[in-house]
Amino acid sequence: MNKSELIEQIAKRSGLTLVSSRNALDALLSTVSEALASGDRVQLVGFGTFKVTERKEREGRNPQTGAVINIPATKTPSFSAGAELKKSVNK
């Protein structure tokens, strides 16, 4: 399902217009993104938790040359599925 299809489903299930559904989805996504960027976690009980995890600096290898390279530390978003989501997927 892509974003347009998701917006159509939101509109159908909520009774909102397509424009209102798009605005609601965009507001949700930007709110989650801003929360993660500020270091917060977003927990939607039953659905799951969005959070930022940190990867430490590490050594890697260039696959073409075999040379050792330094891979810098990074932050990455992660998602842990909640119990309700896991149940619905495993029906």
Side-chain angles (χ1 to χ4, degrees):
M1 176 181 294
N2 63 30
K3 187 175 180 181
S4 295
E5 293 167 339
L6 179 58
I7 290 168
E8 289 174 12
Q9 287 299 313
I10 292 170
K12 190 182 297 183
R13 291 175 186 221
S14 68
L16 296 171
T17 65
L18 286 175
V19 172
S20 295
S21 297
R22 178 181 303 277
N23 291 340
L25 180 60
D26 288 343
L28 172 69
L29 296 176
S30 67
T31 302
V32 170
S33 295
E34 289 171 9
L36 292 177
S38 68
D40 295 336
R41 51 188 278 177
V42 177
Q43 183 176 11
L44 303 172
V45 176
F47 184 74
T49 303
F50 298 90
K51 62 184 177 180
V52 174
T53 57
E54 294 187 26
R55 292 184 180 171
K56 295 179 181 179
E57 183 176 317
R58 62 195 189 280
E59 286 186 352
R61 293 204 178 269
N62 180 329
Q64 292 179 338
T65 65
V68 176
I69 58 172
N70 183 40
I71 301 171
T74 60
K75 293 181 181 180
T76 184
S78 65
F79 175 76
S80 299
E84 296 292 324
L85 179 58
K86 288 178 183 177
K87 271 189 211 176
S88 69
V89 168
N90 288 309
K91 280 187 179 179

